[in-house]
Amino acid sequence: MEEIKIQRTEHPAAKPDAHTLGFGKVFSDHMFLLNYDKGQGWHDPRIVPYGPFTLDPSAMVFHYAQEVFEGLKAYRTADGTVQLFRPIDNARRLNDSCERLCIPPIPEEDFVEAVKALVTVDKDWVPDLPGTSLYIRPFIIATDASLGVHASHSYIFCIITGPVGAYYAAGINPVKIYVESDDVRAVKGGTGYTKCGGNYAASIRAGERAEDQGYAQVLWLDGVHRKYIEEVGSMNVMFKIDGKIVTPMLTGSVLPGITRRSCIELLKSWGYEVEERLITAQELFDAAQAGKLDEAWGTGTAAVVSPIGEMGWEDQHVVVNGGEIGPVTQKLYDTLTGIQWGTQPDPHGWVVKL
Ligand SMILES: Cc1ncc(COP(=O)(O)O)c(C=O)c1O
């Protein structure tokens, strides 16, 4: 990549109170931009003050949703160092998404360099209260002014960041989830394994319905048989059934989560048997009724791990581990957050310092 030009803001914003940070509402002073034009490739990397874009109303992203994104975080350690967690994995996944959406790939090392350069410029925005972090949102949008359904010839790659609060400010509370039998998030052959905006648009209705019924998240079933468990909300999902760890296999409609991969690697290193396979909702509820569902949890960058305390499916309802966080879930949470915030060693080499 060419040298990244840096234009610093003349009007730095006041930093928000780190005690009251939510998620995705406050943005740091700068953003990274890189343009693509056919014949020229990716060009003009730059860091500029955070601000609106001007796009033609016919820009393809508005009509056919040719766009992909990523999500990762920067963490401040006790000695003030700022570090990233497995950013190369986000670079690879972004390119897998690009391939599916016919968007030209970005060299992995350029992605990581861009993230590091932007977080370095806005380093003061990385909060230091326990559990807080700087959320990083890279995304690519198709910008051709054209209503023809084809791949765009021009794109913008942008990265924005913003401080986010501790996910579990009031302690880890296991969540209630609802098995969604009507709407599906993704199907094999579609875009479920990518992070494209359309997947999330398709998931909103079921999420709203579950919330209306007092549930925190949707447990998604596969789109063909409506039988196999895929993900929970915007997280991957894992279960401890009869002593073994079981998680849905990556069939093409499940997002290959980086937290999922990290959990599997940790669990195997601790001697657990981990099965990546098809799991029916029936098997899960049967295991719960038989007292063999020891633990259930979601995995993702936002919450790291999110224990599941109750599950509903049509007229069935089960409680997992007495509605409490289980020991494996707790150990995964403690180990991953320890590595991310630098309070535990990083034997797998996952952390990248700025
Ligand atoms: C649909 C979906 N599944 C799973 C995940 C978890 O992925 P990761 O662990 O890489 O954050 C996310 C969040 O990024 C997601 O949006």
Side-chain angles (χ1 to χ4, degrees), residues 69-71 90 93 135 185 192 195 200 231-236 254-260 299-302:
F69 68 97
E70 270 302 324
N90 295 94
R93 187 170 64 189
Y135 185 74
R185 194 191 79 93
K195 272 183 94 73
Y200 298 79
E231 306 201 47
V232 58
S234 300
M235 289 183 283
N236 296 108
V254 172
L255 190 82
I258 294 162
T259 319
R260 172 187 185 277
T299 70
T301 298

Side-chain angles (χ1 to χ4, degrees), residues 28 31 56 99 110 147 190 245 255 272 318 343 345:
S28 318
M31 62 185 181
D56 197 288
E99 195 276 332
D110 291 354
L147 295 184
I245 313 294
L255 190 82
Y272 284 102
V318 293
T343 58

